[in-house]
Amino acid sequence: MVAILSLMVVMGFMMLGEWVSTRSRAYVPSVFITALLFLVGFWTIVPKNIVPVASFGTAFIQITQAVLLVHMGTLMDLKLLLKQWRAVVIALSGVVGTVVLTMGIGRLLFDWHTIVASVPPLTGGLVAAFLMTAGLKAQHITALVAFPVAMFVMHSMLGYPLTAWMLKRESRRLLQVRHVDVTVATADSATSATVQTTAQLPVCPLPTVPAKVKSVQPQLRHWQLPAAYDTSAFMLFKVAAVTGLAEWTAQLAHGTVNQYIICLVFGVIAHQLGFLEDAVLEKAGVFHWLMYGLLAYIFANLNIVKISMLSGILIPIVTLIVLGVLGMWIASSLLARPLGFSREMAFASALTALFGFPADYIVTHEVTEIMGSTAEEKQYLLDQMLPKMLVGGFATVSVASVIIASIFLKIL
């Protein structure tokens, strides 16, 4: 009974977040509302262990994140992914801008330890927050333990809506470009048809020969079984096989490349080879369950945040967030035009440092669902924005934030 009630509460928070996002046309992302509900719930009547009781514990997450990243690879084209080096450069430049501005101006306003404890989570979200928290505890600097987690909570509240706003502006721009391209292509086709018809008028008609209409049937891929055998279990087996191979490769690399980046790349390769279907976990019927579980596990970490913790450090946290986001905007804006990005897309890519996966995927998907009026437009927006957001998030949260947190722990 307790497990079912816990699951009901967790899913209720997710549901309310989605409803608010839909009602606000993605100006208020669902992850922001859900995080707020978990935070207030932990401060009031929600048990601290509600998420693991609802079945989303450590064992569940050890499987979920890697499997979801393999799934994300089936949503991308390999050529598109390889072209995203510009998104990596812009996202990392945003991290540099954040560090420069917070360590420069922030040092004039606050003490050294406060800045060092707060800045890494601003450049890498949850990953850096808990690396810093663990490091501060290990060095017995208990007075600063609250800063990394408080920074994560506060900057997420700014990061989610700001990213959604940037992506909505980018979506409008992309749709305008697409509509112009379609109009020009249609006009060119009509002109070409008219010219061809006019040119053929003087020519004597040739004897008509019945044309053989070839019905092109989609060929079965090498890995695809007949429909009766292509079950959800078979799809999950293939995903697990690719995930296992990716994690084994990551172990051989001894951490040179983040294991989750390898999972994404292996998902793309398996999809390109035809081994994995498009959106494989959605076809298997488990995608949303895994995504909700991962989000719940992330939000469960808010159970250590207390009201007194936030109220005592609110001014330095808010000031550093403003400086950090300003640094992201300046750095990404400077590189946007040279690298062929709009300022909105460049800034959104840099903002992935505030939360990373899966929030970057969810916010992007919510915006495309709202901004696209047809399935084709929604897919077009996803193809244009999602690879940049995911790759930017991996570059900052999975790689840069770990490096920055380890450096900052040494200079405390």
Side-chain angles (χ1 to χ4, degrees), residues 204-237:
C204 296
L206 296 174
T208 57
V209 179
K212 293 183 179 180
V213 180
K214 297 181 180 180
S215 59
V216 181
Q217 298 292 337
Q219 295 182 348
L220 287 176
R221 294 169 300 174
H222 296 301
W223 313 98
Q224 187 175 348
L225 295 178
Y229 298 95
D230 196 15
T231 62
S232 296
F234 179 57
M235 295 179 194
L236 291 173
F237 168 79

Side-chain angles (χ1 to χ4, degrees), residues 82-355:
L82 293 176
K83 290 178 180 178
Q84 299 314 317
W85 64 269
R86 296 178 180 86
V88 173
V89 173
I90 288 176
L92 293 179
S93 73
V95 171
V96 173
T98 296
V99 173
V100 170
L101 222 59
T102 52
M103 297 293 285
I105 299 177
R107 184 69 183 90
L108 302 175
L109 304 174
F110 309 108
D111 66 88
W112 173 254
H113 285 157
T114 297
I115 295 173
V116 172
S118 303
V119 169
L122 190 54
T123 65
L126 189 64
V127 175
F130 282 91
L131 282 174
M132 289 302 298
T133 300
L136 290 167
K137 288 180 179 178
Q139 296 188 32
H140 305 289
I141 310 176
T142 55
L144 299 176
V145 168
F147 275 82
V149 179
M151 174 62 80
F152 167 72
V153 174
M154 296 299 295
H155 78 52
S156 297
M157 292 181 179
L158 173 65
Y160 295 148
L162 185 56
T163 304
W165 184 44
M166 289 295 107
L167 290 178
K168 286 173 75 75
R169 289 171 60 89
E170 175 67 2
S171 296
R172 291 193 190 96
R173 187 191 69 82
L174 289 171
L175 290 175
Q176 287 175 355
V177 171
R178 184 174 187 269
H179 291 159
V180 170
D181 290 343
V182 170
T183 302
V184 171
T186 303
D188 289 344
S189 298
T191 304
S192 175
T194 303
V195 171
Q196 289 178 4
T197 303
T198 305
Q200 289 174 359
L201 284 176
V203 181
C204 296
L206 296 174
T208 57
V209 179
K212 293 183 179 180
V213 180
K214 297 181 180 180
S215 59
V216 181
Q217 298 292 337
Q219 295 182 348
L220 287 176
R221 294 169 300 174
H222 296 301
W223 313 98
Q224 187 175 348
L225 295 178
Y229 298 95
D230 196 15
T231 62
S232 296
F234 179 57
M235 295 179 194
L236 291 173
F237 168 79
K238 291 191 292 183
V239 172
V242 174
T243 307
L245 182 61
E247 294 200 338
W248 177 68
T249 303
Q251 290 178 357
L252 291 180
H254 300 291
T256 305
V257 181
N258 185 274
Q259 65 172 343
Y260 296 131
I261 297 177
I262 295 178
C263 286
L264 178 71
V265 172
F266 272 53
V268 173
I269 294 172
H271 177 245
Q272 294 294 304
L273 293 176
F275 185 67
L276 294 180
E277 297 87 343
D278 296 336
V280 60
L281 292 182
E282 292 184 35
K283 291 183 178 178
V286 299
F287 171 74
H288 290 96
W289 177 254
L290 295 175
M291 183 64 77
Y292 288 139
L294 178 58
L295 279 174
Y297 181 80
I298 291 173
F299 293 139
N301 291 296
L302 298 175
N303 64 8
I304 67 172
V305 179
K306 298 182 175 66
I307 297 178
S308 58
M309 179 190 298
L310 291 180
S311 60
I313 57 180
L314 191 60
I315 292 177
I317 291 295
V318 171
T319 304
L320 290 173
I321 289 174
V322 172
L323 290 173
V325 172
L326 181 60
M328 287 182 186
W329 179 77
I330 293 172
S332 61
S333 296
L334 291 175
L335 288 178
R337 190 169 182 179
L339 293 180
F341 276 49
S342 67
R343 287 187 176 181
E344 291 81 3
M345 191 68 247
F347 191 26
S349 298
L351 285 169
T352 56
L354 300 181
F355 38 81

